[in-house]
Amino acid sequence: MDTLDVLSHGLANLSMFPFFDMAHYVVSVMALREQPGALEVSRASPLACWFSSMLYCFGGAVLSGIMLAEPPVAPLSNGTAVLLASLLWYLVFYCPLDLVYGCAALPPLRLVLSGMKEVTRTWKVLGGVTQARSKYKDGLLVMIAIGWARGAGGGLIRNFEQLVRGVWKPETNELLKMTYPTKVTLIGAVLFALQQTHYLPLHTHHLMLIYTTFTVVNKRFTVLCIVQTRMMLTGSATSPFAPIESVLHKTLFTGFRSYAALTAPSTNNPNGVSGRLQTKDKSVKKSD
């Protein structure tokens, strides 16, 4: 138990600036660069590309600020963070010979950067939950929502970010089809909200260690799968939560008959279900 306390306190006292923040910025900007058409936008309009990068880097703080009725530009008031993110954006997109992106995209280094980014996720989720608790002490759902927004804001505002690049894809809405980072952030927001409201009997630093270990280990396996299948870090890999989601969906939301079976038109009767009911009514009347 003493070892666990030492590790958890060491993690809780770990400073995110500058190395972990740099890893977060690099991975976020790389994710933007790997979006279809992002390179063309970077050449045609560097300002739009820079603004999209800032939304990727600070989207969580912007979204949580809007939800708490705070100025959405407040995250940009940290000049050091914005300058650092802007420098890394320039190097990822415009470095001569593409050296920065080429090195960061190497599987070993990408694995390290992705793990460091997941460490920052813990701080973002916990920061959002504690910020909401300071204003809404008994608002459990508010804590979950703000923690989720702070940790996964870049994905939740993806449609707005796409508009900045001149792209409109409403089918990519995170609420319609959640990616793995959004799901794991929601789980973290629920856990930290329960812990802060004393429904979960754990110390904050212990939960931080457990959650960080879980996200880092899962991220390592996800990155390795992506590298093996030649995919990019844009959420296209299979989610480790897929089996659980499938069971819950079939148990709680499908019912005895699927919705498609109830609404799809019949091949023999163009009127579908209503047509079959009318046919049944007619047969009853004839029998009478």
Side-chain angles (χ1 to χ4, degrees):
M1 191 64 182
D2 292 337
T3 304
L4 179 62
D5 285 334
V6 172
L7 290 175
S8 58
H9 281 294
L11 180 65
N13 296 326
L14 189 64
S15 176
M16 294 294 101
F17 183 85
F19 300 110
F20 287 90
D21 285 342
M22 290 176 63
H24 166 67
Y25 299 148
V26 170
V27 175
S28 298
V29 176
M30 288 176 63
L32 171 63
R33 173 178 167 138
E34 291 162 358
Q35 296 296 316
L39 279 177
E40 289 76 5
V41 173
S42 68
R43 270 53 178 180
S45 178
L47 180 60
C49 180
W50 174 83
F51 191 72
S52 294
S53 298
M54 296 304 103
L55 290 178
Y56 262 79
C57 295
F58 304 103
V62 172
L63 181 59
S64 61
I66 294 175
M67 295 174 66
L68 290 173
E70 296 179 353
V73 296
L76 302 180
S77 63
N78 188 342
T80 304
V82 174
L83 182 61
L84 181 60
S86 300
L87 175 62
L88 294 173
W89 158 77
Y90 183 84
L91 293 176
V92 169
F93 274 95
Y94 304 104
C95 180
L97 303 178
D98 218 9
L99 290 177
V100 173
Y101 176 78
C103 293
L106 293 174
L109 184 55
R110 187 164 204 162
L111 195 63
V112 173
L113 293 174
S114 299
M116 294 174 69
K117 176 179 169 61
E118 291 305 310
V119 175
T120 66
R121 189 185 305 278
T122 302
W123 267 254
K124 294 177 187 298
V125 174
L126 179 59
V129 170
T130 54
Q131 183 182 10
R133 187 172 182 268
S134 65
K135 295 187 176 182
Y136 305 95
K137 187 174 182 180
D138 298 322
L140 180 63
L141 292 180
V142 178
M143 297 180 199
I144 294 174
I146 301 302
W148 189 28
R150 177 68 69 87
L156 294 173
I157 63 172
R158 180 172 299 172
N159 290 117
F160 176 72
E161 180 276 324
Q162 289 173 344
L163 286 176
V164 175
R165 295 186 283 116
V167 178
W168 174 240
K169 292 182 178 180
E171 67 274 8
T172 61
N173 191 322
E174 283 287 328
L175 297 180
L176 295 176
K177 189 176 181 180
M178 291 188 189
T179 57
Y180 167 76
T182 305
K183 294 174 185 177
V184 76
T185 303
L186 177 59
I187 293 174
V190 172
L191 292 176
F192 280 109
L194 292 175
Q195 188 273 329
Q196 290 292 313
T197 51
H198 307 292
Y199 289 109
L200 188 62
L202 278 176
H203 293 292
T204 302
H205 54 276
H206 288 163
L207 182 57
M208 290 176 67
L209 178 62
I210 295 171
Y211 179 72
T212 303
T213 304
F214 173 77
T215 56
V216 170
V217 171
N218 274 280
K219 192 64 174 181
R220 290 183 62 184
F221 284 113
T222 302
V223 173
L224 289 175
C225 291
I226 291 173
V227 172
Q228 291 174 358
T229 55
R230 307 300 296 174
M231 294 181 181
M232 297 301 181
L233 285 174
T234 54
S236 56
T238 302
S239 171
F241 305 122
I244 301 176
E245 294 172 6
S246 177
V247 172
L248 291 177
H249 181 267
K250 291 179 180 179
T251 304
L252 300 176
F253 301 107
T254 303
F256 296 103
R257 296 180 65 184
S258 64
Y259 294 110
L262 295 175
T263 58
S266 174
T267 56
N268 298 326
N269 186 354
N271 294 326
V273 177
S274 60
R276 291 195 295 271
L277 293 176
Q278 292 175 4
T279 303
K280 183 178 180 180
D281 293 338
K282 290 180 181 179
S283 62
V284 172
K285 289 181 180 179
K286 288 180 180 181
S287 63
D288 292 342

